[in-house]
Amino acid sequence: MASSFSSSMRGGRGRKLKSEINVVPYIDVMLVLLIIFMVMPSANDPSVVDLPSAEKSTKPPADYVQIVLKQNGALSIGIKGKGEEAPETAPNRDALVKKLRTIHTDHPDYPVLIAGDKESKYDDVIQLISEAKKMGISRVGLSTK
């Protein structure tokens, strides 16, 4: 009886313990993570890919068609190897595709190697690979330094 009398002297009812989780710190952490994930993709430009240099690469075939992409948008195409032809500069992608089609009809067994400048756009390289595959060229590769 004495214990119930002393608790009523302190202010009536005893204190209840809270059994709830305080979610405010979790919300703060989630907002910080959200901001980080929103900022990171804008820091990377997906249209520019720095092409790596390879330590060891396989030797190119004896004869092949080489397409060269430069950062300033200059395109050139030519045959490398035994039957080497001087590379021709193409003013645009359509002219390059026409020249590639002509070379492919003359030499259907020649593979195509695309040499992209380190600062060239990834989209340009992929578009050229796609065009070569549409023509029926089965061996299309990327040239390394």
Side-chain angles (χ1 to χ4, degrees):
M1 201 68 175
S3 64
S4 66
F5 180 71
S6 64
S7 67
S8 64
M9 296 286 285
R10 283 188 275 159
R13 294 188 306 174
R15 295 180 117 194
K16 275 190 174 178
L17 293 175
K18 276 188 168 182
S19 62
E20 299 173 1
I21 296 175
N22 188 3
V23 294
V24 174
Y26 299 117
I27 293 172
D28 292 342
V29 169
M30 292 304 290
L31 288 175
V32 168
L33 288 174
L34 177 68
I35 291 170
I36 289 172
F37 286 122
M38 288 174 62
V39 171
M40 286 305 291
S42 64
N44 300 332
D45 188 8
S47 65
V48 177
V49 175
D50 291 330
L51 300 174
S53 60
E55 292 295 324
K56 288 186 178 180
S57 63
T58 59
K59 290 185 179 183
D63 293 319
Y64 61 94
V65 179
Q66 183 178 32
I67 299 173
V68 179
L69 294 165
K70 302 252 176 168
Q71 179 186 7
N72 60 2
L75 302 166
S76 66
I77 184 171
I79 296 177
K80 294 283 190 176
K82 296 174 191 167
E84 187 164 335
E85 292 181 10
E88 295 181 24
T89 304
N92 57 22
R93 188 191 326 249
D94 294 332
L96 182 105
V97 170
K98 283 183 184 178
K99 179 66 179 168
L100 179 62
R101 188 171 282 120
T102 304
I103 291 173
H104 180 60
T105 55
D106 294 341
H107 309 284
D109 57 335
Y110 283 10
V112 174
L113 286 178
I114 299 173
D117 188 64
K118 188 174 184 176
E119 302 296 323
S120 59
K121 290 188 177 182
Y122 182 71
D123 183 52
D124 294 339
V125 175
I126 295 299
Q127 291 294 331
L128 284 174
I129 292 172
S130 175
E131 289 292 331
K133 291 286 187 178
K134 285 178 188 175
M135 282 183 219
I137 300 172
S138 60
R139 293 176 56 199
V140 180
L142 297 176
S143 178
T144 59
K145 290 184 180 182

